Amino acid sequence: MRNGSEWVYGPGDLAEGGWESVVDARIPGWQHTGLRVAELDGSADSGATVALAAGDVERMIVPLAGSFTVEYDEQGAATASQVLVGRASVFDGPTDVLYLGAGTSATIGGHGRVAVTEAVTAERRPAAYLPASAVPVELRGGGQSSRQVHNFGVPGALDAVKLIACEVITPAGNWSSYPPHKHDEHRPGVESRLEEIYYFETAVTRGAEAPAEAAPFAVFATYSSDERPIAIDARVGSGDIALVPHGYHGPAVAAPGYDLYYLNVMAGPDAERSWLITDDPAHGWVRRTWDADGMDARLPYASTGSAASTGAPASTDTTASTEGAPL
């Protein structure tokens, strides 16, 4: 664990087999979601791969940096293969992704960093590929609360049973996952119960000339919403993971000079797959200021190179929004 919190882990703290990090139900108090992160060397003579066993878990494979090939076996079907073109880095716009339903085994090979988001379910869904050009990209907030959201695994974009996944880019100096909010009560039409995983990466902000000793970082907070204790006040960097079983969470703040990325994974026990949140009433009013502040001119972040060379789209259609969940 990191930062003195039982809910924050660094790279290697949760290592297993060929995986740098594995979050699953073996962590005390964790039940519904999972995450796997691996660094693969796909050189011809290395044969580096990671395997995913079939079971009661649905997954989405998300290239963080690099390109990958996924060989997978759906129950009762022939082996299939899908190339994930990927991208140069998490700050180069959205990536293509692959959804695998429960009961599917897979092997991932390639070169770079890859994440596998997971949710526990016995219900089956067919595999589905989403190209980068089809990923819904949203610009959310305003002013110093401006951020970019890639909604590849949310209701309406992905036909899943339990899994909800998306990723957020927060430019240097900006706040995201704000106002602080919660989703730990079942209140139909108002709030849903969802565990949440944050996987972080940080980098020197675009265009900056930083010295070799620069150490990109961000800060992340979580605090209690009821009698269940939780407290995270963490300095986080690339490869760190924060778990939010309950409570108000946010903000996630990109330090000046450093951009912040995080991948969110959510699932819960409610029958309906929905993402409904409640703001901390002390801070929810901040939403009303966003329209006047305007969107940060640095957004959107898309590929810094050509689509052919990086695997990421050279430009991205975006929708500006100040509504919905506050990632």
Side-chain angles (χ1 to χ4, degrees), residues 19 23 32-37 52 57-64 97-101 108 114-120 152-153 158 160 163-167 197 199 261 263-267:
W19 300 96
V23 175
H32 304 287
T33 58
L35 176 69
R36 294 170 179 265
V37 179
L52 300 169
V57 56
E58 59 182 346
R59 302 178 168 108
M60 176 174 278
I61 300 171
V62 182
L64 299 171
V97 296
L98 177 65
Y99 170 81
L100 299 177
I108 305 171
V114 62
V116 181
T117 67
E118 300 181 337
V120 176
F152 46 61
L158 172 69
L163 180 65
I164 299 174
C166 64
E167 56 187 10
I197 301 170
Y199 165 81
Y261 162 95
L263 173 64
N264 281 130
V265 190
M266 290 171 279

Side-chain angles (χ1 to χ4, degrees), residues 141-204:
Q144 286 186 284
S145 294
S146 299
R147 58 271 207 185
Q148 176 173 326
V149 187
H150 302 157
N151 288 311
F152 46 61
V154 303
L158 172 69
D159 179 23
V161 183
K162 293 287 188 178
L163 180 65
I164 299 174
C166 64
E167 56 187 10
V168 180
I169 296 170
T170 309
N174 283 10
W175 291 45
S176 57
S177 199
Y178 189 76
H181 58 284
K182 71 183 184 77
H183 35 70
D184 57 13
E185 290 184 83
H186 178 56
R187 294 190 291 158
V190 177
E191 185 177 343
S192 49
R193 292 177 293 176
L194 297 168
E195 284 182 344
E196 187 163 8
I197 301 170
Y198 282 72
Y199 165 81
F200 300 99
E201 292 201 11
T202 51
V204 172

Side-chain angles (χ1 to χ4, degrees), residues 2-73:
R2 291 286 191 271
N3 295 279
S5 172
E6 63 178 313
W7 299 113
V8 181
Y9 298 88
D13 288 351
L14 300 172
E16 178 184 306
W19 300 96
E20 174 184 287
S21 297
V22 177
V23 175
D24 59 21
R26 285 170 292 184
I27 296 175
W30 210 247
Q31 303 177 64
H32 304 287
T33 58
L35 176 69
R36 294 170 179 265
V37 179
E39 182 93 33
L40 298 181
D41 176 6
S43 58
D45 58 352
S46 70
T49 62
V50 286
L52 300 169
D56 289 340
V57 56
E58 59 182 346
R59 302 178 168 108
M60 176 174 278
I61 300 171
V62 182
L64 299 171
S67 300
F68 305 90
T69 298
V70 184
E71 306 283 346
Y72 61 96
D73 292 284

Side-chain angles (χ1 to χ4, degrees), residues 55-144:
D56 289 340
V57 56
E58 59 182 346
R59 302 178 168 108
M60 176 174 278
I61 300 171
V62 182
L64 299 171
S67 300
F68 305 90
T69 298
V70 184
E71 306 283 346
Y72 61 96
D73 292 284
E74 293 183 283
Q75 198 170 41
T79 299
S81 179
Q82 178 65 56
V83 172
L84 294 176
V85 177
R87 55 191 167 184
S89 82
V90 294
F91 298 103
D92 280 275
T95 179
D96 52 346
V97 296
L98 177 65
Y99 170 81
L100 299 177
T104 303
S105 62
T107 301
I108 305 171
H111 190 280
R113 288 181 67 78
V114 62
V116 181
T117 67
E118 300 181 337
V120 176
T121 179
E123 187 175 336
R124 272 46 175 166
R125 288 281 196 280
Y129 172 72
L130 185 68
S133 60
V135 172
V137 178
E138 177 185 357
L139 301 186
R140 182 173 291 161
Q144 286 186 284

